[in-house]
Amino acid sequence: MDERLLKPISEASYLTADNAGRYRAILRYFYKRHERMQHFLYPEEVYEHLRQFEHFSQYTIEMLEHDLNQLVKWKNLYARQETSNVKTIEEFKKKRFRYQCSPYTVEIERMVMSLENMGEGFGGSLEKTLFDRLYESLRKLSETGKNADSNLTDEEWHRIWTDIYDYFTKIVQNSTDYIAYLSSENIEDRMMTEAFLTYKDHFTQYLRDFIISLQQTSLQIESVISGLPSKTIQHVAKREADYQASIPRLDQQTLTAEEIQQSVQEQWDNLKEWFLGKDGRPSELERLQNSTNETIRRMTRFVQRLGERHQHFRSRKKDYLHLADWFAHLTDINEAHCLSSLVFGVSHSRHIYAEEKRTENIYSDIWDEEPSELIIKPRVRQYREKTKPTAIQNHKLEKIAALNDYMEQKEAEQRMIEQYIDQNTITFKSLPVIEPQVRKVLLSWVGKAMAKKDRTIKVESGRVLTVGLIDETLIRLESKDGVLHMPNFQIQFLPQEDDDGKRHKNLR
């Protein structure tokens, strides 16, 4: 990893410091004067400029000197002592300075101004001529690379490569920003308004022209990129390194020849992957084309919805009057039938209804099935099915018989359970082969008791019992319909209180 990524950028501290307003105003003035080729400024010039604004009405020269010293510490400004007009030692000791903004500050201010002009939304554009320019530059590189006797200088090679990568960078940045602009939430909200109908033709034509240019030029660009040999790119990287080395510089922060060649190779790989893709994945060019087509379809849907909404609230009175007049002047009955069917639909259409298949046999034929009978009811609101008055039947005897059967069943279950109670305890491990009904009752008691916090429940017979676990072993509970492996539970019946408040034991 590059060690520069791990270091903080002190030059950007003035943007978020406590007195960011003062620092930004000072450096913005330095940046504007730098653009006018006035690189060195005196504090008096800066102070005179700031005093023009109401916000700096209480600003003093001492505060300015403090801010300038702070900006020098952050490496936003370079301070140079002025000694040309010094006449005495006292004037030399005062150290009168001139200030110059640093290269970092110039780039930061340039970026901040572009951000201020951009606003809150995305910018960008879809310039169809950029693909033509990129193709011409790539074709020039291909032809020059094939000519072994070319006597191009390092500067000319640098210009060819710079044109290629600059065009590619503009295509990527502008197209990405413009598609993001069209996909933003604010633009979609504006597309749903009536005012969008005025601009929809211009938007659609703009996108379609870009798609046509993209389709016409992209194949040529891909063909040139695929045909360029790797040695041509290596030669370009070497000539670029030689060109950068020929530029005289006094600082020691320039890149080495190997780093420059690696940077050129990485830039070419990015360009090649953007147009051709990599490892079977779709290229960014295809994604750009799909995004543009999807944007056109989305605009078309918005326009259709607006048209439907506008059509929904439009009166159809004139249409109906025109149809009625047309129908009244027809002389042929067949033409009248045709017009009526187009306006109102077919009058003799019927819906077919059938019951579900009665068999799952896939080889059965429809002629083998019994016909379905459907009783058609009149389509009137007042229709009600006829009902015959019937007497209320008394089912008291059936209810008593059902209740007696239920009570007898419960008494039989209780008698069977009583057989397995030993000293108010039922131990599952000691049970013999039991009936399935008994097993279901005992397990239901265990389930209800385990759901309680105190493991205690009251059963239908009125008894109160608690369930406990003897140990962690598994036991076998055998019944006539199978064997159940379960924990070693034990059911303990607790003493009950009668109506007088006296306790008594549940005897077997």
Side-chain angles (χ1 to χ4, degrees), residues 31-46:
Y31 170 74
K32 291 182 177 179
R33 298 295 292 271
H34 173 83
E35 293 293 310
R36 299 175 184 176
M37 305 299 292
Q38 299 175 359
H39 304 300
F40 292 94
L41 297 178
Y42 289 99
E44 292 80 6
E45 299 179 63
V46 180

Side-chain angles (χ1 to χ4, degrees), residues 350-354 374:
R350 296 290 183 268
H351 294 281
I352 300 176
Y353 170 82
L374 179 64

Side-chain angles (χ1 to χ4, degrees), residues 196-235:
F196 175 67
L197 294 175
T198 309
Y199 304 98
K200 61 100 177 176
D201 292 334
H202 180 67
F203 269 111
T204 306
Q205 187 64 34
Y206 181 72
L207 295 175
R208 285 175 178 171
D209 291 343
F210 174 75
I211 285 293
I212 293 173
S213 176
L214 177 64
Q215 293 173 346
Q216 292 176 348
T217 315
S218 60
L219 294 179
Q220 298 174 342
I221 294 177
E222 293 174 3
S223 177
V224 175
I225 293 176
S226 302
L228 272 175
S230 59
K231 64 179 182 179
T232 301
I233 305 302
Q234 295 173 1
H235 181 71

Side-chain angles (χ1 to χ4, degrees), residues 355 358 369-373:
E355 296 180 354
R358 300 180 182 179
E369 299 291 333
E370 295 292 333
S372 301
E373 295 183 1

Side-chain angles (χ1 to χ4, degrees), residues 129-320:
T129 58
L130 287 177
F131 286 94
D132 298 331
R133 299 176 190 175
L134 177 61
Y135 170 66
E136 293 297 331
S137 300
L138 288 171
R139 191 168 59 85
K140 183 178 181 181
L141 176 63
S142 177
E143 294 175 354
T144 307
K146 293 178 181 179
N147 186 8
D149 299 331
S150 61
N151 296 322
L152 297 181
T153 62
D154 294 340
E155 185 178 358
E156 292 172 334
W157 281 101
H158 168 73
R159 188 182 303 113
I160 294 174
W161 174 249
T162 302
D163 291 342
I164 291 175
Y165 201 72
D166 285 348
Y167 291 146
F168 169 67
T169 304
K170 289 180 180 179
I171 289 174
V172 174
Q173 293 178 352
N174 293 344
S175 60
T176 302
D177 291 347
Y178 192 73
I179 294 299
Y181 163 75
L182 294 179
S183 302
S184 60
E185 184 177 356
N186 294 333
I187 298 302
E188 289 192 356
D189 293 340
R190 294 180 183 179
M191 288 182 183
M192 295 300 295
T193 60
E194 299 288 342
F196 175 67
L197 294 175
T198 309
Y199 304 98
K200 61 100 177 176
D201 292 334
H202 180 67
F203 269 111
T204 306
Q205 187 64 34
Y206 181 72
L207 295 175
R208 285 175 178 171
D209 291 343
F210 174 75
I211 285 293
I212 293 173
S213 176
L214 177 64
Q215 293 173 346
Q216 292 176 348
T217 315
S218 60
L219 294 179
Q220 298 174 342
I221 294 177
E222 293 174 3
S223 177
V224 175
I225 293 176
S226 302
L228 272 175
S230 59
K231 64 179 182 179
T232 301
I233 305 302
Q234 295 173 1
H235 181 71
V236 171
K238 183 178 182 305
R239 300 301 290 269
E240 179 69 17
D242 295 340
Y243 171 77
Q244 296 294 338
S246 65
I247 301 175
R249 293 186 177 91
L250 299 178
D251 54 357
Q252 302 297 326
Q253 297 181 357
T254 57
L255 298 177
T256 63
E258 291 78 7
E259 292 175 340
I260 294 175
Q261 294 180 21
Q262 183 180 359
S263 176
V264 172
Q265 185 64 45
E266 290 178 353
Q267 291 174 354
W268 174 256
D269 293 339
N270 293 336
L271 186 148
K272 186 176 181 180
E273 182 179 350
W274 198 88
F275 279 96
L276 302 181
K278 186 178 180 181
D279 299 333
R281 293 176 297 181
S283 64
E284 296 298 328
L285 179 66
E286 296 179 9
R287 295 181 180 177
L288 174 61
Q289 184 173 352
N290 294 334
S291 300
T292 309
N293 290 329
E294 179 60 30
T295 303
I296 295 176
R297 287 192 292 268
R298 189 170 70 253
M299 288 184 178
T300 306
R301 289 196 299 267
F302 286 151
V303 172
Q304 183 179 1
R305 293 176 186 174
L306 291 174
E308 292 175 353
R309 185 190 306 172
H310 183 72
Q311 189 77 11
H312 179 70
F313 293 102
R314 191 171 65 90
S315 176
R316 303 292 300 275
K317 180 179 179 180
K318 294 183 179 179
D319 297 340
Y320 292 139

Side-chain angles (χ1 to χ4, degrees), residues 284-418:
E284 296 298 328
L285 179 66
E286 296 179 9
R287 295 181 180 177
L288 174 61
Q289 184 173 352
N290 294 334
S291 300
T292 309
N293 290 329
E294 179 60 30
T295 303
I296 295 176
R297 287 192 292 268
R298 189 170 70 253
M299 288 184 178
T300 306
R301 289 196 299 267
F302 286 151
V303 172
Q304 183 179 1
R305 293 176 186 174
L306 291 174
E308 292 175 353
R309 185 190 306 172
H310 183 72
Q311 189 77 11
H312 179 70
F313 293 102
R314 191 171 65 90
S315 176
R316 303 292 300 275
K317 180 179 179 180
K318 294 183 179 179
D319 297 340
Y320 292 139
L321 290 175
H322 176 72
L323 287 173
D325 182 69
W326 187 4
F327 190 84
H329 288 81
L330 290 177
T331 57
D332 189 359
I333 188 62
N334 293 325
E335 293 183 4
H337 286 320
C338 292
L339 179 61
S340 175
S341 63
L342 290 175
V343 176
F344 302 106
V346 183
S347 60
H348 55 76
S349 61
R350 296 290 183 268
H351 294 281
I352 300 176
Y353 170 82
E355 296 180 354
E356 295 183 359
K357 294 173 59 177
R358 300 180 182 179
T359 178
E360 297 297 331
N361 186 7
I362 62 175
Y363 300 104
S364 63
D365 195 6
I366 188 174
W367 306 110
D368 300 332
E369 299 291 333
E370 295 292 333
S372 301
E373 295 183 1
L374 179 64
I375 300 177
I376 300 177
K377 301 178 181 179
R379 299 180 61 182
V380 293
R381 294 182 179 180
Q382 294 79 11
Y383 173 76
R384 295 290 185 272
E385 293 187 4
K386 295 181 179 180
T387 57
K388 296 181 180 180
T390 56
I392 300 176
Q393 298 181 1
N394 188 359
H395 299 284
K396 182 177 180 181
L397 297 178
E398 290 82 351
K399 294 180 181 179
I400 294 174
L403 178 61
N404 293 334
D405 294 339
Y406 176 76
M407 296 302 297
E408 291 178 358
Q409 181 181 357
K410 289 299 181 181
E411 291 177 0
E413 291 180 357
Q414 186 65 27
R415 286 193 299 269
M416 287 188 292
I417 293 175
E418 290 287 343

